[in-house]
Amino acid sequence: MLDRSESALRVVVRSKFYRSAFLALLIAGIGLSAATPQLTLFLVRDLGTPLPVAGLYYVTNLAAPVAGFLVGRWSDRSHDRLLWFRVCAVIGSVGWLAMAAAQTVWLPFVISTVALSLAGGSMAQLFAACRDELSRHPTKAENRVIATIRMAFTVGWILGPVLGSWFGGVFGLRALLVATAACVFAQMLPLGGQRVERYEDPGISPLPEGRRRLDHMMPLLVFTAICVLAMTGDTIKFGYLPIYMAEQLHVSDSVRGAVIGIQPLLELLMLPAVARLADRYGPLRIMTVGAALGLAGNIAYATSSSVGGLFLGQALTAGLWACVGALGVSIAQQLYPEGVGTASGIFLSSIPLGSAIGGAIGGIGVAIIGLPHVFFVPAGLTTLALVAFVVLTARLSVRMKA
């Protein structure tokens, strides 16, 4: 019998693979978050890219869903789940090294579209391997186990920007990209030579082909599309909230940093609570609550005339991202159990896809309605996501684990 009160931390500590996955995500999170905020600066300062062109860099994220699907499909046909994790990590390391050596404006765009999109599959396949292990060794704390492992990546994203700013300032941006390449490669080291065999549930039919495959994937695709709607505000926030605080609210650099930095910290603190609630009430219901928090956060941004309102918006938005981080990949895997690697890849590609769409919407919205009212646009999209989550929860409640 499964023990509902089982400690997720104890499960993770006792498992060599879960411990290794935690360390791998921590290393990857530090490396990626150190470089990502500096990429536009690298394009402009080191390569002489015009600022409007540099802003288009994030459009390369549109390739992520295709890469996520391909890597996931290959993974679901491989015997060792970690094979494609390692392949993606090597591709990513080479891609970041090529980025550091780039001398022309177009090369980073090609590298991001091809190499870094494929490299993004490493995290997805690590979570697919976690699902295989959870299937072999079931626990009622599975949402909390995934959330505990996911916390490592969030910690990396708290530490990385600070370390990246310092490292780039001391050694230069090209050296920072080399360091990111080293971190992307080093995420393989905690796992050593471990193998995770792909789990085949005898109660689940083999992967279907053709039209039947698409029909089976439809709940997953719908869920991913809803998450994209809910996440579009994040790029707008990072792109324009600092400008709003600096030019219209005239707050200090330290306060601006505090406002931006509070979200990942709160998200980290919320992850275990979100997972525990999901174990009790069901993950889709809690994701619906997360969408409601995201909606409230965008409204807080759009209506704030003081820093206090922005802090409130960040706290509410942290609730949305805690739900996405703790539950998103697990829900995706449950919606498409025939191919958990494909499910993981498709869902995690929704994050860069939402970033690309949010960037485009933000640029147009700021030009038309200005700051801070541009946040009414993601508020409207999150409203659609909230309604869609309610409908999806009602239709899929039977097949989701309560």
Side-chain angles (χ1 to χ4, degrees):
M1 180 178 293
L2 300 179
D3 182 5
R4 186 174 291 274
S5 64
E6 187 174 9
S7 167
L9 182 60
R10 187 178 298 116
V11 172
V12 172
V13 170
R14 287 179 176 176
S15 167
K16 180 181 179 181
F17 170 69
Y18 292 150
R19 295 196 308 269
S20 301
F22 184 95
L23 292 175
L25 286 175
L26 176 63
I27 294 169
I30 291 174
L32 294 175
S33 65
T36 300
Q38 308 291 334
L39 281 174
T40 304
L41 183 61
F42 168 72
L43 292 172
V44 173
R45 180 183 294 175
D46 290 59
L47 299 184
T49 308
L51 189 57
V53 176
L56 295 175
Y57 173 83
Y58 295 99
V59 177
T60 61
N61 288 332
L62 293 174
V66 176
F69 171 76
L70 290 176
V71 172
R73 187 173 184 180
W74 295 330
S75 172
D76 286 331
R77 297 178 185 275
S78 300
H79 192 58
D80 177 17
R81 185 69 76 182
L82 293 180
L83 170 64
W84 283 99
F85 162 75
R86 295 185 172 99
V87 169
C88 289
V90 170
I91 292 174
S93 182
V94 172
W96 284 107
L97 286 175
M99 187 84 77
Q103 299 295 332
T104 56
V105 171
W106 60 268
L107 191 56
F109 289 81
V110 174
I111 293 169
S112 179
T113 301
V114 180
L116 299 189
S117 292
L118 288 171
S122 62
M123 181 176 176
Q125 298 321 306
L126 199 57
F127 278 118
C130 289
R131 174 55 54 187
D132 289 331
E133 286 296 291
L134 285 168
S135 296
R136 288 191 185 89
H137 309 289
T139 169
K140 283 294 184 181
E142 67 174 44
N143 287 312
R144 282 174 281 148
V145 169
I146 293 294
T148 300
I149 297 171
R150 177 61 170 77
M151 286 173 70
F153 196 71
T154 303
V155 171
W157 273 83
I158 293 173
L159 300 175
V162 178
L163 296 174
S165 297
W166 168 79
F167 193 95
V170 174
F171 300 103
L173 295 179
R174 291 187 186 273
L176 174 61
L177 299 182
V178 172
T180 295
C183 287
V184 170
F185 184 85
Q187 69 180 306
M188 295 186 291
L189 300 181
L191 290 153
Q194 292 182 62
R195 293 169 58 89
V196 175
E197 304 296 326
R198 190 181 77 248
Y199 179 77
E200 297 183 8
D201 189 336
I204 297 177
S205 302
L207 283 171
E209 296 294 340
R211 179 59 181 245
R212 286 186 64 244
R213 182 187 184 94
L214 182 60
D215 290 342
H216 280 234
M217 290 180 63
M218 192 54 64
L220 165 66
L221 298 177
V222 170
F223 172 70
T224 303
I226 296 171
C227 289
V228 169
L229 288 177
M231 293 186 292
T232 52
D234 214 49
T235 303
I236 301 174
K237 178 190 69 180
F238 282 116
Y240 297 103
L241 205 60
I243 296 174
Y244 174 61
M245 288 189 286
E247 297 186 356
Q248 297 188 34
L249 298 185
H250 305 292
V251 300
S252 66
D253 292 343
S254 59
V255 174
R256 292 202 302 271
V259 170
I260 297 300
I262 195 67
Q263 181 191 316
L265 179 59
L266 292 176
E267 177 187 336
L268 177 67
L269 298 176
M270 291 179 182
L271 281 169
V274 165
R276 185 172 291 277
L277 289 171
D279 282 336
R280 182 169 183 178
Y281 298 107
L284 263 178
R285 293 188 182 94
I286 303 305
M287 280 292 290
T288 305
V289 174
L293 293 174
L295 168 60
N298 282 312
I299 292 175
Y301 297 141
T303 58
S304 292
S305 57
S306 67
V307 171
L310 300 182
F311 272 115
L312 175 61
Q314 286 286 73
L316 293 166
T317 304
L320 167 64
W321 280 94
C323 292
V324 171
L327 308 176
V329 72
S330 294
I331 294 173
Q333 291 167 346
Q334 291 179 32
L335 290 176
Y336 191 56
E338 304 95 326
V340 296
T342 302
S344 303
I346 289 177
F347 171 73
L348 288 176
S349 70
S350 68
I351 298 175
L353 180 60
S355 174
I357 295 174
I361 292 174
I364 297 172
V366 166
I368 296 176
I369 58 179
L371 289 170
H373 298 135
V374 67
F375 288 99
F376 281 122
V377 178
L381 296 176
T382 309
T383 301
L384 294 177
L386 177 60
V387 173
F389 271 132
V390 171
V391 174
L392 190 66
T393 301
R395 292 189 176 184
L396 298 177
S397 58
V398 173
R399 61 184 293 182
M400 300 303 296
K401 294 180 180 179

